Amino acid sequence: PEPYPLPPAAAGYPFPPAPYGGSYQPSQGSDDDWDDDWDDSSTVADEPGALGSSYPDYEAAGGVASGRYRLSTRSELSLGSRSGSGHPAGHPHPPGGGGAAKSSATVSRNLNRFSTFVKSGGEAFVLGEASGFVKDGDKLCVVLGPRGPEWQENPYPFQCSIEDPTKQTKFKGMKSYIAYKLVPSHTGQQVHRRYKHFDWLYGRLAEKFPVISVPHLPEKQATGRFEEDFISKRRKGLAWWMDHMCSHPVLAQCDAFQHFLTCPSTDEKAWKQGKRKAEKDEMVGANFFLTISVPTGPGAILDLQEVESQVDGFKAFTKKMDESALQLNHTANEFARKQVTGFKKEYQKVGHSFKCLSQAFELDQQAFSAGLNQAIAFTAEAYDAIGDLFADQPRQDLDPVMDLLALYQGHLANFPDIIHVQKGALTKVKESKRHVEEGKMELQKAEGIQERCNIISFATLAEINHFHKIRVRDFKSQMQHFLQQQILFFQKVTQKLEEALHKYDSV
């Protein structure tokens, strides 16, 4: 997959890439969900039956936070890069006279200031320019598990159902929207959210977590938003999204996500407070990496060559998975289309031919042939019903597979950027080692760069581990579901044919 740009400050909402040619259609125009400003009036979906709320423009909402991020991180970067001596801003001269020659060399900065490594704050962090106070509640722990680095498990796992999409109105019926009922298992308290609230949350998390794959939301759609099939499909897509959020040890415990799940739908003030708090989060950009806590001790220093090899292997894996998922999606889509149109039509054509035969036989008035005529007519009905079974089947087995592939397409589009951040950190380490060998940099400074790269590597490997773990879980359950539904389908077909066969016993 091509690197997927996430320009939080520049472009507002990062749209997911086009789907696999499957279920969700990308929007061609504006959605209802982009009409008014967050703070005009209501910003949370009211309970069903009540007046609805006004709508956020993510770009406007994100402008405050991402603007602060640009100032706080990039101004330091630009000051550092402009200082003639090459030292970080605020330290124009090396400490101590003796090390002056060695300290004169610095690790060069990326020329592409729009690269993910720079924009995520990864470069500033690796070069030691991040500084901030990390509260205990903000710490993200990576531990060493049986398969290597892993995110520390959520001690209080939970799930959240998404049910009852209901159409609501506001402005005396002039505006309509769909509200979804969310019931988190750890609170048991239902809240109602609109798609725009999911959209806002996604934007916050994608900006905050540069080394975590935040699952993409189902696409927006300009037309047909209130059609039953679209609403049902979006609900299923959101259910998959929610499952991946709740399953992630870091995302599930994030304050913004918990606020989204638990803030009462009717408490406007509390919603705005939590929303603004999330937008003013200081642990973003370079400071985000300060929150990552990794194992310490002799065995906790990762071998950089081994890390590079693992990351390269994962990169090749994601490329192959993307290609094969694309092919599977195309095949499933084509097969579903044939079942809904071609197969149904062909079976019903056979049924119609049997019906014509039975009608011809009915011209014979012999009493002993009446049973045969009825049996053939029943066979015609059986084939007609089998045609309907074929048309209905894809939504039972193929559609859920394509929904899963759409979700994983989003993950696969995220990983090039995650890998880019890690690769950028590795490049800085190699550069600093070369400077030490040439006597241009103090060993202590180079070790600091390596230590910070170690943190990014731990987080990247933990995220890769989580991806594989969740992938095995999802594809196992989805393939089981697919085959179970296929078996049930052919059992229904067999049952229809057996019923038709028994009609001839009494002829």
Side-chain angles (χ1 to χ4, degrees):
E2 291 298 314
Y4 173 56
L6 268 182
Y13 172 72
F15 283 94
Y20 274 130
S23 341
Y24 300 112
Q25 295 301 314
S27 64
Q28 296 299 317
S30 63
D31 194 304
D32 153 62
D33 295 341
W34 297 94
D35 49 4
D36 17 76
D37 205 5
W38 269 101
D39 294 326
D40 281 354
S41 57
S42 171
T43 59
V44 282
D46 300 316
E47 300 299 330
L51 275 179
S53 56
S54 72
Y55 196 25
D57 182 307
Y58 172 73
E59 200 164 357
V64 180
S66 45
R68 285 182 66 259
Y69 162 55
R70 273 214 309 270
L71 287 170
S72 62
T73 308
R74 292 201 182 158
S75 59
E76 288 171 22
L77 284 173
S78 55
L79 280 170
S81 54
R82 280 200 299 266
S83 62
S85 62
H87 298 295
H91 298 282
H93 302 291
K102 284 189 177 181
S103 297
S104 63
T106 57
V107 175
S108 64
R109 293 171 182 280
N110 285 32
L111 293 174
N112 178 10
R113 309 313 294 160
F114 296 101
S115 80
T116 312
F117 182 47
V118 177
K119 287 192 304 175
S120 68
E123 184 184 64
F125 171 72
V126 170
L127 297 181
E129 295 172 358
S131 61
F133 177 71
V134 181
K135 300 192 292 288
D136 283 344
D138 288 333
K139 282 184 182 170
L140 311 176
C141 294
V142 179
V143 296
L144 280 172
R147 296 180 298 274
E150 295 178 351
W151 294 113
Q152 190 173 52
E153 284 298 319
N154 182 359
Y156 307 107
F158 65 92
Q159 293 175 314
C160 179
S161 63
I162 298 183
E163 303 158 8
D164 303 339
T166 51
K167 189 175 180 181
Q168 306 296 321
T169 59
K170 61 180 181 178
F171 305 139
K172 296 183 179 177
M174 289 173 68
K175 259 308 188 196
S176 300
Y177 61 88
I178 301 295
Y180 300 86
K181 182 173 82 175
L182 276 57
V183 186
S185 63
H186 62 316
T187 65
Q189 301 297 311
Q190 67 180 44
V191 295
H192 290 81
R193 299 286 183 252
R194 290 171 58 183
Y195 181 86
K196 67 170 187 177
H197 300 120
F198 287 91
D199 203 34
W200 168 81
L201 177 64
Y202 172 81
R204 293 265 65 76
L205 300 179
E207 181 185 10
K208 179 173 171 65
F209 297 111
V211 289
I212 289 175
S213 178
V214 180
H216 290 200
L217 291 166
E219 276 83 40
K220 299 171 78 65
Q221 183 162 308
T223 56
R225 283 173 288 127
F226 301 120
E227 290 173 8
E228 195 175 326
D229 280 353
F230 173 72
I231 292 168
S232 169
K233 191 141 198 69
R234 176 176 271 186
R235 190 200 67 77
K236 288 173 186 170
L238 290 174
W240 267 119
W241 181 87
M242 182 61 75
D243 175 72
H244 273 221
M245 290 294 296
C246 295
S247 301
H248 197 289
V250 174
L251 297 177
Q253 298 181 81
C254 169
D255 287 347
F257 183 50
Q258 285 298 323
H259 174 65
F260 171 84
L261 292 178
T262 59
C263 180
S265 307
T266 49
D267 193 339
E268 190 64 33
K269 190 176 178 184
W271 173 263
K272 282 188 179 181
Q273 283 174 346
K275 176 182 167 292
R276 291 209 171 96
K277 183 186 173 190
E279 287 165 0
K280 289 177 180 177
D281 185 359
E282 291 182 1
M283 292 294 116
V284 296
N287 285 356
F288 161 75
F289 296 98
L290 295 172
T291 65
I292 301 171
S293 162
V294 300
T296 54
I301 300 296
L302 296 170
D303 182 284
L304 293 185
Q305 280 188 320
E306 197 178 316
V307 171
E308 193 166 16
S309 171
Q310 283 180 269
V311 172
D312 285 344
F314 181 72
K315 189 177 178 181
F317 166 83
T318 54
K319 186 174 186 294
K320 194 68 179 170
M321 180 179 172
D322 193 51
E323 289 168 1
S324 58
L326 186 65
Q327 183 187 358
L328 173 58
N329 192 83
H330 176 75
T331 305
N333 215 11
E334 190 65 17
F335 190 49
R337 188 185 62 77
K338 285 178 181 174
Q339 284 186 232
V340 172
T341 54
F343 290 10
K344 177 182 178 179
K345 191 177 175 183
E346 292 302 318
Y347 271 86
Q348 291 182 342
K349 200 187 285 184
V350 172
H352 179 69
S353 299
F354 280 133
K355 190 176 180 183
C356 290
L357 181 66
S358 74
Q359 287 170 344
F361 281 4
E362 279 170 11
L363 296 176
D364 173 15
Q365 300 297 316
Q366 302 296 335
F368 62 79
S369 70
L372 175 66
N373 300 344
Q374 287 167 5
I376 294 175
F378 188 86
T379 304
E381 289 169 10
Y383 269 79
D384 206 50
I386 289 170
D388 286 332
L389 286 175
F390 267 102
D392 292 339
Q393 188 57 23
R395 71 178 64 190
Q396 310 301 328
D397 51 27
L398 289 169
D399 280 3
V401 170
M402 289 191 281
D403 286 344
L404 181 67
L405 291 173
L407 180 80
Y408 271 85
Q409 183 201 17
H411 281 304
L412 292 170
N414 287 342
F415 275 106
D417 275 354
I418 293 171
I419 289 169
H420 181 72
V421 172
Q422 201 275 333
K423 287 277 191 186
L426 275 177
T427 304
K428 299 299 178 199
V429 172
K430 289 174 183 174
E431 217 175 304
S432 66
K433 280 186 174 178
R434 196 170 65 248
H435 283 325
V436 169
E437 285 166 7
E438 293 168 358
K440 294 177 181 176
M441 182 184 278
E442 292 171 347
L443 183 61
Q444 190 180 356
K445 193 171 181 180
E447 284 173 348
I449 289 174
Q450 180 162 347
E451 194 179 308
R452 290 185 289 275
C453 173
N454 201 47
I455 290 172
I456 292 178
S457 297
F458 261 110
T460 306
L461 294 178
E463 187 59 20
I464 288 172
N465 237 327
H466 176 76
F467 175 80
H468 283 314
K469 185 178 169 184
I470 216 83
R471 173 183 59 84
V472 170
R473 182 203 72 172
D474 287 346
F475 279 87
K476 174 193 171 183
S477 68
Q478 200 57 67
M479 289 307 297
Q480 285 175 325
H481 175 81
F482 173 77
L483 292 170
Q484 284 161 356
Q485 291 299 319
Q486 282 274 290
I487 290 165
L488 283 172
F489 167 69
F490 284 108
Q491 284 173 344
K492 286 178 195 170
V493 172
T494 306
Q495 188 183 348
K496 290 283 179 194
L497 296 173
E498 283 175 344
E499 285 171 6
L501 175 63
H502 291 316
K503 292 292 178 185
Y504 294 88
D505 293 347
S506 57
V507 173

